[in-house]
């Protein structure tokens, strides 16, 4: 996993992130929201930050 190997995050941190993401995905699903990242709106400043 990138954050564990490249970023050297502890196993506990990675486990906590995984748990938080599962809770968030459950929340989105329960509220009829898409979990497809390609469907999420992107603020204009995020798109412009890739140019520089």
């Amino acid at each position: 996993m990138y954050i564990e190997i490249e970023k050297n995050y502890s196993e506990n941190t990675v486990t906590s992130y995984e748990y938080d993401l599962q809770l968030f995905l459950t929340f989105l699903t329960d509220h009829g929201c898409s979990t497809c990242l390609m469907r999420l709106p992107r603020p204009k400043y995020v798109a412009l930050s890739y140019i520089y």
Side-chain angles (χ1 to χ4, degrees):
M1 207 180 227
Y2 173 78
I3 62 174
E4 193 170 12
I5 296 169
E6 299 291 328
K7 292 296 202 175
N8 200 31
Y9 286 10
S10 73
E11 184 178 336
N12 288 338
T13 299
V14 173
T15 301
S16 293
Y17 281 3
E18 289 173 346
Y19 178 75
D20 290 345
L21 287 172
Q22 283 299 326
L23 285 177
F24 184 57
L25 287 174
T26 300
F27 173 84
L28 291 175
T29 303
D30 290 349
H31 289 82
C33 299
S34 174
T35 57
C36 177
L37 295 178
M38 299 304 291
R39 290 183 153 177
L40 294 176
R42 261 194 256 184
K44 290 181 183 179
Y45 66 86
V46 172
L48 293 175
S49 68
Y50 292 112
I51 295 172
Y52 302 102

